[in-house]
């Protein structure tokens, strides 16, 4: 958009830039900057326009963008151009992700390069390597307390190793996702160290207070994220003799985005990792980016403006790079992290679908899909050119953040229902085979979340211990059904490492003082590669899960209806145990896929009459894409065995996929 004020300023900035970076070819940079500058300028003035140094700051920002562009390797710039020409590339059904802790999965970065064939064997072509930047030796919240945003933790390798990894992955057609922890730094970060020496400029990077007055006001409305291990949101720093805001752990200092210097540094860091070859950048804890007294300090409007501004800046330098929003908040809030508009107010292309994840677990515990159906029905529509990251488990806990109104609509009482879920998954409920642990228990509010490995939550650990074949079978079916839902819902599926082998809880974290208080470590395994070889051994649960998942991934990749073009339609059926949705093929009705899952321990019937006039049923006999078989039919009702699911399509069109 052309507008005089911002354009006049842009001319000034470009004059200055041309003096400093004269010999470079900045053609592409200039076109993109011209296209985005009006928005960058207006967002930046909205956030920082009241400051005397506004102009100096926006010049500094633009200069950083130019330098990052100059540093961008040619090979990556070519990818940017290719993706500009094929802007829906990431909505394809071909992408399947895995998230992993480097040390637990492969030891270090060179080790991960060695393990890429294993990932490809499974069909993984997007890898999220959990934080590997320099962090404290002891407790570091799994690397989410960063001490140096431009250096790799020596235990993981070097920046050069990241570039090698990214190049190797590119040759193999795989995408690399890296974290940029935008909300906070470790207390060992240089900025924090400078703040501790009393430097006011660096104290201005954080929320620092002499007395308890302001912190106390904040506390009135701020919830506690880690109530057991890090109660409260402020920490007294002895060296500084001041309070500092620490929403997560006491060693994670919250960055203050009302300071433009913080924003500029963090954009520069995002671009730095984009330039080392990250295809996707995961922005951690984005809901927390703006703090305001009298609010929960989550999902504030300014947090969204900051993300829009980050996106606009990144598009100028590295338009092929995508953002993932990690905002584990209420469904109506999560959706906002895609932005208000896919073009003029875009934020992140991808967001964690925490709603779907938690609802799936609700269906597991209740053995029915009432809340799952209700919650998905009320999940607001997302933008075009935006997609979900769907997952059953990740490195974090399972929060029970569904809407209370949805819980009530299913005739449950919210408090009692959440209490039941925690009891179910921690095995406290009579008859539950689940082996999770409570996390984030807050006696003041009655809140609690759940930790635990997928297989242990699904009952496999209990069944194996009891050597109960029927229970093992059920657990395996349930595990594959959860994967089946994640793979077909619409979005990029993200497998948590170890889950492809049915890895159970690992309690060894209790021996480590830096981890013992945080039960999330129970599901952050160290892969035992000898055990992983059992995926080739017939009759083992490792083989059953690995092969099952591998096969489903392969089917997903060739099923066009599974691409995410907002082509999902939830189907209302009268049987409450079933979760049924239709994935419409973009052009061929006959190639649409009906996904139907049974969360109950008994076989359930799907009445085809209830599907109404949905066209694709007319085309021929139904076939399950996973098994290649026709499902059992009785009086026009499909029988779905306990804890199983189907991906149904009409047989005649099968060859067209
Ligand atoms: C994110 C991470 C979580 C971490 C928190 C603080 O939510 O997923 O693991 O504890 O941020 O960095
Ligand atoms: C809360 C936060 C989320 C974080 C998680 C870690 O749910 O909202 O960002 O990952 O805690 O437990």
């Amino acid at each position: 958009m052309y507008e005089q004020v911002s354009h006049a300023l842009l001319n000034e900035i470009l004059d200055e830039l041309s003096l400093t970076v004269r010999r470079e070819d900045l053609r592409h940079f200039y076109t993109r900057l011209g296209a985005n500058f009006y928005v960058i300028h207006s967002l930046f003035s909205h956030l920082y326009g009241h400051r005397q140094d506004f102009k100096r700051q926006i010049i500094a920002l633009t200069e950083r963008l130019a330098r990052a562009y100059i540093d961008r390797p040619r090979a990556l710039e070519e990818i940017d151009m290719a993706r500009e020409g094929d802007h829906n590339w990431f909505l394809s059904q071909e992408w399947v992700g895995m998230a992993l802790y480097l040390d637990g999965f492969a030891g270090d970065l060179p080790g991960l390069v060695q393990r890429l064939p294993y990932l490809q064997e499974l069909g993984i072509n997007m890898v999220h390597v959990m934080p590997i930047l320099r962090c404290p030796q002891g407790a570091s919240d799994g690397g989410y307390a960063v001490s140096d945003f431009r250096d790799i933790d020596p235990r993981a390798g070097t920046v050069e190793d990241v570039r090698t990894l990214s190049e190797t992955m590119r040759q193999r057609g795989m995408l690399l996702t890296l974290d940029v922890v935008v909300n906070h730094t470790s207390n060992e970060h240089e900025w924090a160290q400078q703040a501790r020496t009393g430097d006011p400029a660096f104290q201005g990077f954080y929320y620092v207070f002499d007395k308890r007055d302001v912190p106390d006001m904040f506390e009135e409305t701020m919830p506690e994220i880690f109530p057991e291990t890090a109660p409260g949101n402020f920490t007294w720093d002895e060296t500084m003799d001041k309070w500092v805001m620490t929403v997560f752990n006491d060693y994670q200092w919250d960055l203050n985005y009302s300071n433009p210097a913080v924003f500029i540094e963090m954009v520069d860091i995002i671009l730095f990792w984009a330039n080392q070859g990250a295809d996707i950048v995961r922005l951690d804890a984005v809901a927390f980016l703006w703090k305001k007294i009298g609010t929960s300090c989550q999902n504030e409007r300014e947090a969204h403006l900051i993300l829009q501004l980050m996106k606009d800046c990144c598009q100028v330098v590295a338009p092929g790079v995508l953002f993932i929003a990690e905002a584990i908040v209420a469904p109506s809030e999560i959706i906002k992290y895609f932005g208000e508009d896919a073009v003029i107010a875009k934020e992140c292309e991808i967001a964690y679908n925490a709603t779907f994840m938690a609802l799936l677990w609700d269906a597991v515990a209740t053995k029915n899909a009432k809340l799952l159906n209700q919650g998905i029905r009320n999940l607001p529509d997302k933008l075009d050119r935006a997609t979900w990251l769907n997952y059953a488990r990740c490195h974090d806990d399972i929060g029970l953040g569904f809407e209370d109104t949805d819980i009530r609509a299913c005739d449950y009482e919210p408090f009692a229902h959440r209490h039941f879920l925690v009891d179910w998954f921690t095995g406290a409920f009579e008859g539950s085979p689940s082996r999770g642990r409570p996390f984030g228990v807050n006696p003041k509010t009655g809140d609690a979340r759940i930790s635990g490995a997928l297989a242990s939550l699904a009952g496999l650990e209990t069944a194996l211990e009891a050597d109960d074949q029927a229970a093992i079978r059920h657990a395996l079916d349930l595990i594959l059904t959860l994967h089946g839902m994640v793979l077909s819902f619409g979005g990029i599926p993200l497998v948590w490492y170890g889950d492809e082998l049915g890895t159970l809880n690992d309690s060894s974290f209790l021996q480590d003082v830096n981890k013992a208080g945080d039960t999330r470590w129970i599901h952050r395994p160290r892969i035992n590669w000898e055990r992983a070889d059992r995926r080739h051994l017939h009759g083992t649960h490792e083989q059953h899960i690995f092969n099952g998942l591998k096969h489903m991934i392969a089917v997903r990749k060739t099923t066009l209806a599974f691409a995410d073009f907002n082509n999902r339609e939830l189907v209302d059926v009268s049987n409450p145990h079933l979760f049924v949705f239709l994935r419409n093929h973009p052009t061929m009705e006959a190639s649409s896929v009906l996904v139907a899952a049974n969360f109950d321990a008994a076989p359930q019937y799907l009445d085809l009459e209830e599907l109404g006039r949905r066209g694709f049923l007319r085309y021929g006999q139904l076939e399950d894409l996973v098994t290649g078989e026709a499902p059992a039919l009785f009086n026009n009702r499909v029988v779905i065995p306990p804890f199983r699911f189907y991906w149904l399509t009409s047989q005649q069109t099968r060859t067209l996929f």
Side-chain angles (χ1 to χ4, degrees), residues 598-618:
N598 172 13
F599 284 90
D600 194 33
Q604 295 291 335
Y605 296 91
L606 167 64
D607 192 340
L608 292 178
E609 301 292 331
E610 291 183 347
L611 301 181
R613 289 178 305 280
R614 284 187 181 78
F616 94 113
L617 286 174
R618 292 192 305 264

Side-chain angles (χ1 to χ4, degrees), residues 141 144 184 226 248 252 282 284 326 395-396 520 524:
D141 193 16
Y144 281 108
H184 42 259
F226 298 143
F248 291 88
Q252 289 167 303
R282 175 192 185 272
D284 184 58
E326 190 255 348
H395 67 293
D396 277 334
R520 290 177 297 170
R524 298 171 174 180

Side-chain angles (χ1 to χ4, degrees), residues 71-185:
D71 288 345
R72 189 147 180 81
R74 272 232 67 83
L76 299 181
E77 215 195 332
E78 274 161 28
I79 294 177
D80 289 333
M81 310 281 227
R83 288 181 185 163
E84 266 174 351
D86 176 21
H87 57 260
N88 283 338
W89 65 275
F90 62 99
L91 306 177
S92 159
Q93 76 285 356
E94 284 175 29
W95 300 114
V96 179
M98 178 180 279
L100 51 88
Y101 276 109
L102 187 65
D103 55 347
F105 182 77
D108 54 14
L109 285 162
L112 180 54
V113 173
Q114 300 300 316
R115 292 288 177 203
L116 293 178
Y118 169 83
L119 295 175
Q120 285 191 299
E121 180 188 336
L122 183 61
I124 299 297
N125 51 17
M126 187 274 248
V127 183
H128 169 208
V129 183
M130 302 287 295
I132 46 172
L133 301 190
R134 199 178 274 274
C135 64
Q137 283 288 325
S140 70
D141 193 16
Y144 281 108
V146 176
S147 311
D148 184 343
F149 283 112
R150 291 169 201 274
D151 201 10
I152 295 293
D153 184 311
R155 291 166 287 191
T158 62
V159 178
E160 181 59 38
D161 290 334
V162 173
R163 282 197 291 268
T164 309
L165 172 68
S166 127
E167 274 157 33
T168 317
M169 287 179 69
R170 208 168 313 129
Q171 283 157 8
R172 290 173 178 264
M174 303 171 94
L175 303 173
L176 175 62
T177 303
L178 293 178
D179 273 272
V180 175
V181 186
V182 280
N183 180 66
H184 42 259
T185 75

Side-chain angles (χ1 to χ4, degrees), residues 409-426:
C410 296
D411 294 329
Y412 305 128
E413 195 282 310
F415 183 82
H417 188 66
R418 290 200 177 89
H419 199 77
F420 158 72
L421 292 174
V422 173
D423 282 352
W424 179 271
F425 287 113
T426 54

Side-chain angles (χ1 to χ4, degrees), residues 381-607:
D381 287 337
K382 62 178 169 55
L383 295 179
D384 291 340
R385 290 198 234 167
T387 197
W388 291 116
L389 200 60
N390 292 314
Y391 61 111
R393 289 299 290 117
C394 72
H395 67 293
D396 277 334
D397 45 288
I398 302 172
L400 307 173
F402 347 93
E403 307 279 8
D404 284 358
T405 46
D406 286 338
I407 303 183
R408 287 204 187 89
C410 296
D411 294 329
Y412 305 128
E413 195 282 310
F415 183 82
H417 188 66
R418 290 200 177 89
H419 199 77
F420 158 72
L421 292 174
V422 173
D423 282 352
W424 179 271
F425 287 113
T426 54
F429 193 87
E430 172 91 38
S432 161
S434 197
R435 290 276 180 99
R437 297 281 190 284
F439 178 78
V441 177
N442 190 339
K444 284 175 270 179
T445 58
D447 287 342
R449 284 119 78 188
I450 297 150
S451 290
L454 192 158
S456 296
L457 291 173
L460 185 61
E461 193 174 329
T462 303
L464 287 171
E465 237 165 60
D467 197 20
D468 176 339
Q469 292 309 313
I472 293 175
R473 184 77 224 173
H474 274 177
L476 292 176
D477 285 343
L478 181 58
I479 289 168
L480 289 178
T481 292
L482 290 170
H483 288 306
M485 296 304 100
V486 163
L487 284 163
S488 58
F489 187 75
I492 303 175
L494 191 74
V495 179
W496 179 237
Y497 80 114
D499 288 346
E500 78 283 12
L501 297 162
T503 304
L504 305 175
N505 283 345
D506 176 358
S507 294
S508 60
F509 75 101
L510 292 169
Q511 263 69 61
D512 182 339
V513 286
N514 293 315
K515 297 178 176 167
D518 186 335
T519 58
R520 290 177 297 170
W521 289 101
I522 205 168
H523 57 256
R524 298 171 174 180
R526 184 159 291 276
I527 299 296
N528 175 337
W529 287 100
E530 268 158 40
R531 245 199 128 72
D533 282 342
R534 287 162 55 106
R535 71 187 184 280
H536 303 302
L537 204 65
H538 191 72
T540 62
H541 74 263
E542 288 87 352
Q543 194 229 21
H544 190 89
I545 296 173
F546 191 93
N547 274 2
L549 181 58
K550 176 178 164 176
H551 176 64
M552 287 192 281
I553 290 175
V555 173
R556 166 182 158 99
K557 288 185 179 179
T558 56
T559 304
L560 228 114
F562 286 162
D564 186 16
F565 293 104
N566 285 335
N567 48 337
R568 180 188 50 252
E569 188 191 330
L570 197 64
V571 181
D572 267 324
V573 293
S574 53
N575 187 335
H577 300 286
L578 303 182
F579 179 48
V580 184
F581 56 93
L582 188 63
R583 296 303 316 278
N584 291 304
H585 188 283
T587 52
M588 285 179 293
E589 192 182 39
S591 299
S592 297
V593 180
L594 186 78
V595 176
N598 172 13
F599 284 90
D600 194 33
Q604 295 291 335
Y605 296 91
L606 167 64
D607 192 340

Side-chain angles (χ1 to χ4, degrees), residues 197-363:
T197 66
D199 186 333
F202 284 100
Q203 289 186 355
F205 271 47
Y206 301 97
Y207 295 91
V208 170
F209 305 97
D210 294 325
K211 297 195 300 255
R212 271 306 300 193
D213 50 355
V214 179
D216 283 342
M217 280 190 270
F218 269 114
E219 291 287 15
E220 282 166 17
T221 46
M222 282 176 94
E224 294 174 304
I225 304 303
F226 298 143
E228 298 150 309
T229 48
N233 289 286
F234 293 85
T235 300
W236 174 253
D237 188 76
E238 293 280 346
T239 332
M240 210 164 39
D241 228 8
K242 288 181 198 293
W243 291 96
V244 59
M245 186 186 281
T246 54
V247 169
F248 291 88
N249 289 295
D250 56 12
Y251 50 84
Q252 289 167 303
W253 290 19
D254 285 68
L255 284 165
N256 184 347
Y257 278 86
S258 69
N259 178 353
V262 168
F263 177 83
I264 294 171
E265 286 300 334
M266 295 317 288
V267 166
D268 205 31
I269 288 157
I270 291 172
L271 295 174
F272 176 79
W273 289 106
N275 282 350
Q276 308 313 312
D279 297 282
I280 305 177
V281 176
R282 175 192 185 272
L283 301 178
D284 184 58
V286 287
F288 297 82
L289 289 183
W290 196 266
K291 318 295 201 283
K292 207 180 275 172
I293 289 174
T295 73
S296 66
C297 297
Q298 291 182 43
N299 308 314
E300 285 301 307
R301 165 120 186 99
E302 287 82 352
H304 289 284
L305 300 182
I306 287 166
L307 289 168
Q308 285 173 23
L309 190 52
M310 283 178 171
K311 182 81 267 185
D312 287 317
C313 291
C314 191
Q315 281 176 333
V316 172
V317 177
V321 171
L322 307 180
F323 286 174
I324 298 179
E326 190 255 348
I328 313 303
V329 291
S332 52
E333 294 293 340
I334 294 189
I335 202 93
K336 296 182 188 162
Y337 289 90
F338 291 123
E340 283 160 39
D341 182 287
V343 180
I344 53 167
K346 184 158 96 180
E347 295 181 24
C348 301
E349 290 85 354
I350 309 171
Y352 276 78
N353 198 348
T355 310
F356 183 47
M357 180 277 295
L359 288 167
L360 281 174
W361 288 106
D362 187 273

